[in-house]
Amino acid sequence: MTAAGRQTGRRFDAPLAELIAEAAALRDSAHGRLLSYSRKVFIPLTKLCRDVCHYCTFAHVPRAGKPVYLSPDEVLTIARAGAAAGCTEALFTLGDKPELRYQTARDALKALGHETTISYLTAMCALVLRETGLLPHANPGVMTREEIAGLREVTASQGIMLESTSARLCRQGGVHYGSPDKHPAVRLETLRLAGELNVPFTTGILIGIGETRDERIDALEAIRDLHATHGHIQEVIVQNFRAKPETKLANSEEPDLDDLLWTIATARLILGPDMNIQAPPNLSPGVYQKLIAAGLNDWGGISPVTLDHVNPEAPWPAIAELARKSADAGKLLVNRLPVYPAYVRAADIWLAPAIANPRAAHERHRRLRARRRLGSRQHRAATGAAGARPHRRRRNRWNRRASYVGRTARPERHLAPVRGTRRRLPVRHAGRQHAATRNQRRRRALRREPQHQLHEHLHLPVQVLRLLERPHARRFARFTL
């Protein structure tokens, strides 16, 4: 621990109630009454990993008869379910570089047309962004500069959990022994590279895995220093360890509530009022108000569609319940994008063009697909292809107004036009048909409009965009920039 850290450590020896009160006041000075969360869908691209963390149940070894990676169709199925449920974030979580350990992973990647897992991840992020409009957030582990830059073009944000700066945990007997990607130096380097590339980044610490409180302070100070240099750390997660069966730490003691509250308050005091600090609510059910009082201002991602694949034993809380508990603590629960508002407002610095203006990217892709559709009559006529026939407006029975004329001597008294259609119906049915047709037009318009409409103008308040797209959104779901 550094000399500055030792001086800071004395400050955190104060009674817990004093630390919590100071942290809460600091949080309120910047965030006020707002408490945010991200509505996400969880996409576990692969559960293979070359690391062997002693507390993890997410990673698995290859299993006979089971696919190694999600296919593009499976990825899209999950993403579309999330989009239908009102999600805005597609969280891609995966193991770290499994192809460096397993031949099965290398063979699967080759069959998919890729050499590395991150290359396939980049393609899937682009696919989800293009086809659903969900904003991808990727957690692929340790990355090179080129890999971060490639992902930046198709993700709104990225992340890597620092977990700890204790190299002691990487030695024999430690929880990170045998996991080369968990060495603090390589993870800090990934964080540094992300800052140089202007990538909004999420990181955090994992408490209760054998580290000391001084080592937690060291990790938080390292994050603070990187953010002071580059300004790219958008949120810091304080995650409490949970013992899981069939792991080496299955019988280990978990951090108690006071330890978690101390760490949240300490993170707030070290990182300052503006930092977004979160703690996963599904890992601490029933104590939401106490976590809020300790200084957090964000609940992280919550999925109405998928489970937490990293902690499958811990179900997500209902968003309505979380809103009520937040209100009981004097806070207003608001939905956010995977990238925080401060970075959205400076989109020209922090976001790639496909993210800042995904509608334009969608239109480019739509035009490309139209050019490739050689069987289309319109395309064949426009290009002068052999056998092309001029496109003619298709007629249907409702275009034939004459079929309704002549039924009575005075048809104008018995026929009423339906606005927006060419159909004419008897007056006694016109009002009912008008309402039905109006609702049909609305539904068709929503189907025609791509999901990118949600993010067409990121400088507008998100609540306006959401109301434009889903006027039937639940009243407790609020949005803010």
Side-chain angles (χ1 to χ4, degrees):
M1 191 174 183
T2 64
R6 284 191 295 272
Q7 293 175 1
T8 307
R10 297 192 188 100
R11 177 188 183 189
F12 303 127
D13 292 335
L16 180 60
E18 294 181 11
L19 288 177
I20 287 177
E22 185 180 356
L26 197 64
R27 181 266 321 278
D28 291 343
S29 68
H31 299 280
R33 295 180 58 239
L34 299 183
L35 192 64
S36 57
Y37 79 100
S38 175
R39 199 177 181 96
K40 72 178 180 183
V41 59
F42 203 127
I43 304 177
L45 192 62
T46 179
K47 291 190 174 182
L48 297 189
C49 182
R50 75 163 177 168
D51 296 322
V52 288
C53 301
H54 297 180
Y55 47 78
C56 180
T57 58
F58 176 80
H60 296 296
V61 297
R63 298 174 180 176
K66 292 192 175 182
V68 175
Y69 294 88
L70 293 180
S71 67
D73 288 341
E74 290 171 325
V75 169
L76 273 182
T77 298
I78 298 172
R80 284 170 175 156
C87 298
T88 57
E89 172 184 355
L91 171 63
F92 283 86
T93 298
L94 55 154
D96 206 319
K97 299 179 179 61
E99 68 274 13
L100 298 182
R101 181 178 181 183
Y102 299 111
Q103 181 63 43
T104 306
R106 293 192 287 273
D107 294 341
L109 286 171
K110 185 177 180 180
L112 292 167
H114 295 270
E115 293 184 359
T116 66
T117 298
I118 293 183
S119 171
Y120 183 53
L121 168 66
T122 303
M124 292 301 98
C125 288
L127 179 67
V128 167
L129 177 65
R130 182 175 67 242
E131 297 296 331
T132 70
L134 295 181
L135 294 177
H137 173 91
N139 289 330
V142 174
M143 294 178 282
T144 64
R145 177 184 292 272
E146 292 73 19
E147 290 168 338
I148 297 173
L151 273 175
R152 185 184 187 275
E153 297 301 314
V154 293
T155 58
S157 54
Q158 302 174 36
I160 184 173
M161 286 289 286
L162 176 59
E163 296 194 6
S164 176
T165 53
S166 175
R168 176 177 55 83
L169 300 179
C170 298
R171 301 172 190 161
Q172 189 169 3
V175 294
H176 292 154
Y177 179 71
S179 302
D181 299 301
K182 290 303 178 77
H183 197 282
V186 297
R187 299 181 88 77
L188 287 170
E189 177 65 9
T190 298
L191 287 170
R192 186 188 67 82
L193 292 173
E196 292 181 353
L197 293 171
N198 292 337
V199 177
F201 226 69
T202 294
T203 189
I205 61 174
L206 179 60
I207 68 171
I209 56 175
E211 82 293 346
T212 65
R213 284 191 171 185
D214 285 344
E215 288 170 338
R216 293 180 201 171
I217 293 173
D218 283 341
L220 292 169
E221 289 177 341
I223 294 171
R224 179 198 61 194
D225 295 343
L226 283 168
H227 182 64
T229 302
H230 303 289
H232 68 302
I233 304 297
Q234 65 168 358
E235 64 182 345
V236 174
I237 304 170
V238 177
Q239 181 173 337
N240 48 320
F241 159 75
R242 290 299 190 192
K244 297 177 175 61
E246 300 180 2
T247 65
K248 292 185 178 181
L249 298 187
N251 299 318
S252 297
E253 185 178 356
E254 298 176 347
D256 59 22
L257 179 59
D258 284 351
D259 201 16
L260 177 59
L261 298 178
W262 179 89
T263 308
I264 294 173
T266 299
R268 173 60 66 193
L269 296 176
I270 290 176
L271 298 171
D274 296 321
M275 180 56 69
N276 299 293
I277 297 176
Q278 67 170 254
N282 59 321
L283 299 184
S284 303
V287 294
Y288 302 145
Q289 289 94 334
K290 293 184 178 181
L291 299 181
I292 295 171
L296 62 77
N297 68 290
D298 188 81
W299 291 120
I302 298 175
S303 178
V305 179
T306 53
L307 54 82
D308 182 351
H309 289 277
V310 177
N311 301 284
E313 76 287 350
W316 301 113
I319 296 175
E321 177 192 1
L322 202 60
R324 287 193 297 268
K325 296 295 185 181
S326 301
D328 291 342
K331 300 298 179 184
L332 177 66
L333 186 66
V334 295
N335 194 1
R336 61 169 174 84
L337 301 176
V339 56
Y340 277 81
Y343 299 89
V344 174
R345 295 189 190 105
D348 55 332
I349 298 174
W350 295 102
L351 300 178
I355 302 296
N357 189 4
R359 186 177 180 85
H362 173 81
E363 288 300 319
R364 288 195 299 271
H365 178 68
R366 185 188 62 79
R367 289 194 296 268
L368 178 62
R369 286 192 301 181
R371 288 197 298 269
R372 292 175 177 174
R373 220 180 282 131
L374 297 179
S376 167
R377 288 184 301 176
Q378 289 178 333
H379 178 77
R380 292 171 64 86
T383 57
R389 294 177 296 175
H391 177 65
R392 294 183 299 175
R393 183 177 178 181
R394 193 177 286 179
R395 292 177 59 84
N396 57 47
R397 62 194 181 104
W398 306 121
N399 293 132
R400 300 170 186 170
R401 297 185 182 183
S403 62
Y404 289 91
V405 177
R407 292 186 178 182
T408 67
R410 299 182 66 184
E412 66 277 3
R413 292 185 57 189
H414 296 270
L415 299 177
V418 179
R419 182 180 298 178
T421 69
R422 293 185 177 276
R423 181 178 181 179
R424 290 173 177 263
L425 294 175
V427 173
R428 64 180 180 274
H429 299 308
R432 185 184 307 169
Q433 181 66 22
H434 176 73
T437 305
R438 179 185 60 207
N439 293 334
Q440 289 174 3
R441 287 201 307 271
R442 287 176 177 173
R443 287 194 293 270
R444 289 168 183 166
L446 286 176
R447 285 196 296 268
R448 285 195 301 269
E449 285 295 327
Q451 290 289 326
H452 300 87
Q453 164 183 312
L454 176 61
H455 315 294
E456 179 178 3
H457 300 294
L458 287 175
H459 63 275
L460 292 178
V462 173
Q463 64 267 34
V464 175
L465 300 178
R466 293 288 293 177
L467 288 174
L468 287 174
E469 184 179 14
R470 292 188 180 89
H472 57 280
R474 294 182 180 180
R475 61 184 175 85
F476 63 80
R478 297 172 182 267
F479 305 87
T480 183
L481 277 181

